[in-house]
Amino acid sequence: MSNLRIIPRLDIKGPNLIKGIRLEGLRVMGDPQEHAIRYYEAGADELIYMDIVASLYGRNNLSDIIQKAARDVFIPITVGGGIRSVDDARHILRSGADKVAINTAAIARPELISEVAQRFGSQAMVLSIEAKQIAPGKWEAYTDNGRERTGLDVLDWVRRGVELGAGEILLTAVDREGTRQGFDLDLLRQVSSAVPVPVIASGGMGTLAHFVEAAEQGLADAIAMADVLHYKRMTVPEIRAAALAAHLPVRKL
C-alpha cells in the first residue's frame, strides 16, 4: 500500500487565505504564503490550493501565489478553481503547480479531462468533485462551491472521469465541509471502491480520530484538511503521530 498523504488545503479569495463552512460564510485567515511555508516545514506531504471565486472572474487567479509558493515549498502542489482549458492548465503548471484540479469545466465538457491527461499525464489531472447527499446512499455532483446542481450522480461521474483519464479524485463532501463533524465515510468508501485511482478526502475533519476513520473506513488514499490546521486546533506532526499510532502507512519523518 502506498503512503497515506496528509494534505493541507488552502482556499484562496484574492490575495487571502480564507475558510468557510459548507463552502460559504468565508472568513479571512491571513497570508497563504505564511501558512504554506508553515505546513511544509511541519511535514505536510502535499498542498492543495483552490481559487474559490474563480467562477466570478472566469479564470484561475492563483499564478502569482503559486509562483511564490513554489520558490519555498518543495512538495507537490495541486491547484483548482477556474481551470477551463488546456491553456489554463499549462499556465498553472508553469507557475509551479504539479497537478490541476478541475470540476466545473470537466462537467461542462468532459473531453477536457482527456485533453489535460494526454497533454500533461493523468497524474496531473485531478477530478474535483463537490458532493451533496440527496438521498440515503446517493450523492449529486455540484459546481460553484456547492451552489449549482448538475444532475450527475457522483458515482457515475467519478467512474466516467477516471475512464476519460483522471488520475486522482479530490472528493469534497459539501455537507461536512468546515463543520468539524467528520468525513462522510459512506460517500468516501463508495467512491474509493468505485475507481482504481487515489481518492483525497476533503470536508469535515475535526479530530484525529476522523483522520483515522477516513483511512480505515473510508479507504481514502489522502486526507485534506483546512479548519483544524488554520485555527491551530492541531498540527501536521500531531496528525502524523496519530496515524502512525493507528498503524496507518503515513510517511515517517
Side-chain angles (χ1 to χ4, degrees):
M1 184 178 179
S2 58
N3 279 346
L4 175 68
R5 290 166 287 146
I6 300 169
I7 308 181
R9 173 172 168 156
L10 298 96
D11 287 348
I12 309 293
K13 181 180 181 182
N16 297 312
L17 174 69
I18 56 89
K19 187 70 195 83
I21 297 175
R22 299 185 182 92
L23 303 179
E24 296 181 323
L26 307 178
R27 177 178 173 184
V28 173
M29 301 301 301
D31 176 15
Q33 182 72 355
E34 291 177 7
H35 285 75
I37 291 172
R38 187 169 90 241
Y39 300 148
Y40 165 62
E41 291 178 344
D45 296 308
E46 299 185 14
L47 295 176
I48 292 172
Y49 286 81
M50 298 297 286
D51 183 343
I52 59 125
V53 292
S55 57
L56 297 178
Y57 304 116
R59 62 182 290 266
N60 187 290
N61 288 291
L62 298 187
S63 55
D64 290 345
I65 288 173
I66 299 307
Q67 284 174 5
K68 201 172 167 187
R71 289 197 293 267
D72 296 314
V73 170
F74 303 102
I75 51 178
I77 294 172
T78 298
V79 178
I83 297 168
R84 290 175 161 77
S85 66
V86 169
D87 285 344
D88 288 346
R90 180 184 293 109
H91 177 65
I92 287 296
L93 293 169
R94 282 182 173 169
S95 297
D98 300 274
K99 302 181 255 188
V100 292
I102 305 179
N103 177 12
T104 304
I107 286 173
R109 198 172 68 83
E111 303 79 32
L112 178 61
I113 298 170
S114 300
E115 292 166 6
V116 171
Q118 288 164 12
R119 180 66 184 83
F120 306 109
S122 62
Q123 83 291 336
M125 173 61 230
V126 180
L127 181 60
S128 177
I129 296 179
E130 295 171 359
K132 279 191 178 182
Q133 189 162 16
I134 55 172
K138 192 167 178 61
W139 298 265
E140 183 178 342
Y142 275 65
T143 61
D144 196 23
N145 287 319
R147 286 190 288 271
E148 296 295 327
R149 300 188 69 161
T150 67
L152 288 174
D153 176 79
V154 164
L155 292 173
D156 291 343
W157 174 229
V158 76
R159 290 188 188 99
R160 185 169 180 215
V162 170
E163 286 172 2
L164 288 166
E168 191 164 31
I169 305 300
L170 171 59
L171 180 64
T172 302
V174 176
D175 304 311
R176 301 296 185 100
E177 198 276 334
T179 66
R180 306 198 298 274
Q181 294 174 353
F183 296 93
D184 185 336
L185 298 176
D186 189 21
L187 166 68
L188 192 49
R189 183 169 48 250
Q190 290 205 41
V191 170
S192 296
S193 300
V195 291
V197 302
V199 174
I200 305 168
S202 181
M205 182 162 162
T207 68
L208 294 169
H210 291 155
F211 184 97
V212 175
E213 289 169 359
E216 290 184 342
Q217 299 175 44
L219 310 177
D221 300 276
I223 297 165
M225 69 281 309
D227 177 286
V228 293
L229 294 178
H230 300 344
Y231 287 105
K232 299 183 179 177
R233 304 183 204 280
M234 61 186 74
T235 65
V236 174
E238 286 170 351
I239 296 167
R240 192 176 300 280
L244 288 169
H247 306 292
L248 294 174
V250 294
R251 182 168 61 101
K252 293 185 176 70
L253 297 182

